[in-house]
Amino acid sequence: MENEAMSLYELNSLVRRGLHACLPDEYWIQAELSDVRSNYSGHCYMEFVQKDPKSNALIAKARGVIWSNVFMRLRPYFERETGQAFVSGIKVMVKVTVDFHELYGFSLTVVDIDPAYTIGDLARRRKEILKKLDEEGILTMNKELEMPEPLQRIAVISSATAAGYGDFCNQLHGNKFGFVFYTKLFPAIMQGDRVEESVISALERIYADCDNWDVVVIIRGGGATSDLSGFDTYDLAAHCAQFPLPVITGIGHERDDTVIDMVSHTRVKTPTAAAEYIIGRMLETAGRLEDLSERIRSEIPVRLNAEAERISRLVARVPLVVQSRIQRENMRCERNCSRLQMAWQKRFIREEHQLDVLPRLVMLATSRMEKEKHRLELVDRILKSSSPEHLLKRGYSITLYNGRAVRDTSALKPGDEVETVLATGKFKSIVK
């Protein structure tokens, strides 16, 4: 028998009725927002995702929608309570109904939201960032910097069109004390997705000209508190914490501190409060300078009198010091003269002794020369008496064979010719 087939629409209708029958209620779910977007009609479409805590891989995903009449109510409520924009990447707890449409498929329709869950998640993220900064040893680096005095050269990071920037400048330059301040704006985007990138870029431009500034002021002022998420990032906090100049933040919110508020040198509520803080620091510096000036004016006469008295005492001591010095020098000269006289006496005695020894040396040398002359004469007589010429004159002769003296007859044989040398001549003979 041929199987009966149903249409896709009929199957999807069956699925819709089955889901409605099985899941008719509203359910609270926890998920992370992804791909949040709203259209011209005011409806908000998104994806709910869940990630594995260890691998961060997606383990669940569902399409979601908030109809315009609900979104107009939930969005301001959520952003007011959390200070966080309703954007991708945040974790939420929402009440949903489970729906299935024959054409659009499975979806979750949001009917309510719990801001407390998101607030807890934001607090956890801030805590994790602060813990990481603390482990790296940079959490309090900016707070430990000494605030320069006087505090006059101000690098401002803000939006050029922000009302808070104008209020800051008006408050600072129009101060009733007449303090002079030098400010320069380093423009940055102070709301939206590019806050982190823009503020870090401004900090890098200030760092390139760091020696010309005393302090950095980051001000925002005005705007929705939902745009504060850009100030709760690790990279921006790390830049502020390690910046070589003190950082003052006045982002214009009172309820919660952002991460850069916690790592900056000084946190104030508003841009106007930042200007008042700087003016107050200048007032303290001016007060200390005034106190120092007054101390200088009051202490100069006292110091002059003290120095005059000290100089008088020194002048009175000069004759005594000179006389004492003269006495010491006289004694030193006397000691040196005595030592010099003794040294010359010792040297004279040594030289005199050497002069006494000289005649004895002459006598010894003369005697030695006579002895050596006599010894040489004896040697000369011995040498002359031992010479061959003297022996020949005494009647001796020398027999030579082949030019050598013959000492043994065994060296000769019959027929050899020998030569005999006498005192007055020589002759040859034949051996027989």
Side-chain angles (χ1 to χ4, degrees), residues 279-392:
I279 294 171
R281 294 285 303 193
M282 278 294 292
L283 191 60
E284 292 176 4
T285 301
R288 281 193 292 273
L289 291 174
E290 185 64 29
D291 291 342
L292 291 173
S293 176
E294 184 60 32
R295 286 179 58 188
I296 290 172
R297 284 195 297 268
S298 61
E299 291 184 5
I300 282 178
V302 176
R303 185 62 181 270
L304 288 175
N305 290 334
E307 291 299 317
E309 292 178 0
R310 188 175 69 88
I311 291 173
S312 298
R313 290 194 299 270
L314 291 175
V315 170
R317 289 175 56 191
V318 167
L320 294 175
V321 172
V322 171
Q323 184 177 1
S324 175
R325 183 59 180 270
I326 291 174
Q327 290 177 352
R328 288 199 303 271
E329 292 300 320
N330 287 337
M331 293 176 63
R332 188 172 67 85
C333 289
E334 290 176 359
R335 287 195 301 271
N336 289 338
C337 289
S338 299
R339 292 171 59 188
L340 185 61
Q341 184 176 3
M342 292 176 63
W344 276 110
Q345 289 177 352
K346 291 181 180 179
R347 182 62 180 271
F348 180 77
I349 292 172
R350 287 199 301 271
E351 295 297 330
E352 188 177 35
H353 177 68
Q354 291 179 358
L355 291 175
D356 291 340
V357 169
L358 185 58
R360 294 175 58 193
L361 291 175
V362 173
M363 291 176 62
L364 290 173
T366 304
S367 175
R368 183 61 180 268
M369 288 177 66
E370 291 294 334
K371 290 180 180 179
E372 291 299 321
K373 183 179 179 181
H374 179 66
R375 187 176 66 82
L376 291 174
E377 289 176 353
L378 291 176
V379 170
D380 182 59
R381 286 198 296 270
I382 292 170
L383 289 175
K384 288 180 178 180
S385 63
S386 300
S387 67
E389 292 83 0
H390 184 71
L391 293 174
L392 292 174

Side-chain angles (χ1 to χ4, degrees), residues 189-196 227 229-230:
I189 298 172
M190 304 304 286
Q191 59 185 8
D193 297 335
R194 295 183 57 196
V195 169
E196 177 187 27
D227 294 322
S229 59

Side-chain angles (χ1 to χ4, degrees), residues 4-14:
E4 293 185 2
M6 64 175 64
S7 68
L8 176 61
Y9 179 81
E10 290 173 337
L11 177 62
N12 283 354
S13 296
L14 182 62

Side-chain angles (χ1 to χ4, degrees), residues 153-427:
R153 303 174 301 171
I154 317 298
V156 184
I157 298 177
S158 182
S159 171
T161 58
Y165 173 63
D167 295 339
F168 172 81
C169 292
N170 292 335
Q171 183 79 8
L172 198 66
H173 296 296
N175 69 89
K176 63 181 179 180
F177 305 103
F179 297 139
V180 177
F181 296 97
Y182 306 94
T183 60
K184 180 179 178 179
L185 175 65
F186 291 82
I189 298 172
M190 304 304 286
Q191 59 185 8
D193 297 335
R194 295 183 57 196
V195 169
E196 177 187 27
E197 172 191 352
S198 182
V199 175
I200 289 176
S201 176
L203 286 171
E204 290 174 348
R205 294 197 303 273
I206 296 171
Y207 179 78
D209 200 20
C210 191
D211 293 339
N212 291 331
W213 307 107
D214 298 323
V215 69
V216 177
V217 176
I218 303 176
I219 53 177
R220 179 172 169 265
T225 56
S226 61
D227 294 322
L228 296 176
S229 59
F231 299 99
D232 281 325
T233 66
Y234 168 79
D235 287 341
L236 179 55
H239 275 76
C240 289
Q242 299 177 87
F243 204 74
L245 296 177
V247 176
I248 300 173
T249 56
I251 302 179
H253 59 104
E254 299 184 10
R255 187 183 62 181
D256 295 322
D257 287 338
T258 63
V259 175
I260 69 164
D261 286 323
M262 298 177 187
V263 301
S264 65
H265 185 283
T266 302
R267 185 261 187 187
V268 295
K269 296 178 180 179
T270 63
T272 303
E276 291 174 352
Y277 171 80
I278 294 172
I279 294 171
R281 294 285 303 193
M282 278 294 292
L283 191 60
E284 292 176 4
T285 301
R288 281 193 292 273
L289 291 174
E290 185 64 29
D291 291 342
L292 291 173
S293 176
E294 184 60 32
R295 286 179 58 188
I296 290 172
R297 284 195 297 268
S298 61
E299 291 184 5
I300 282 178
V302 176
R303 185 62 181 270
L304 288 175
N305 290 334
E307 291 299 317
E309 292 178 0
R310 188 175 69 88
I311 291 173
S312 298
R313 290 194 299 270
L314 291 175
V315 170
R317 289 175 56 191
V318 167
L320 294 175
V321 172
V322 171
Q323 184 177 1
S324 175
R325 183 59 180 270
I326 291 174
Q327 290 177 352
R328 288 199 303 271
E329 292 300 320
N330 287 337
M331 293 176 63
R332 188 172 67 85
C333 289
E334 290 176 359
R335 287 195 301 271
N336 289 338
C337 289
S338 299
R339 292 171 59 188
L340 185 61
Q341 184 176 3
M342 292 176 63
W344 276 110
Q345 289 177 352
K346 291 181 180 179
R347 182 62 180 271
F348 180 77
I349 292 172
R350 287 199 301 271
E351 295 297 330
E352 188 177 35
H353 177 68
Q354 291 179 358
L355 291 175
D356 291 340
V357 169
L358 185 58
R360 294 175 58 193
L361 291 175
V362 173
M363 291 176 62
L364 290 173
T366 304
S367 175
R368 183 61 180 268
M369 288 177 66
E370 291 294 334
K371 290 180 180 179
E372 291 299 321
K373 183 179 179 181
H374 179 66
R375 187 176 66 82
L376 291 174
E377 289 176 353
L378 291 176
V379 170
D380 182 59
R381 286 198 296 270
I382 292 170
L383 289 175
K384 288 180 178 180
S385 63
S386 300
S387 67
E389 292 83 0
H390 184 71
L391 293 174
L392 292 174
K393 289 179 180 179
R394 291 171 60 187
Y396 292 97
S397 65
I398 301 174
T399 300
L400 302 175
Y401 177 66
N402 291 333
R404 294 185 178 181
V406 178
R407 293 183 176 85
D408 189 356
T409 57
S410 62
L412 300 175
K413 59 183 180 295
D416 289 339
E417 183 181 277
V418 297
E419 183 180 18
T420 302
V421 180
L422 304 174
T424 57
K426 52 188 173 180
F427 62 90

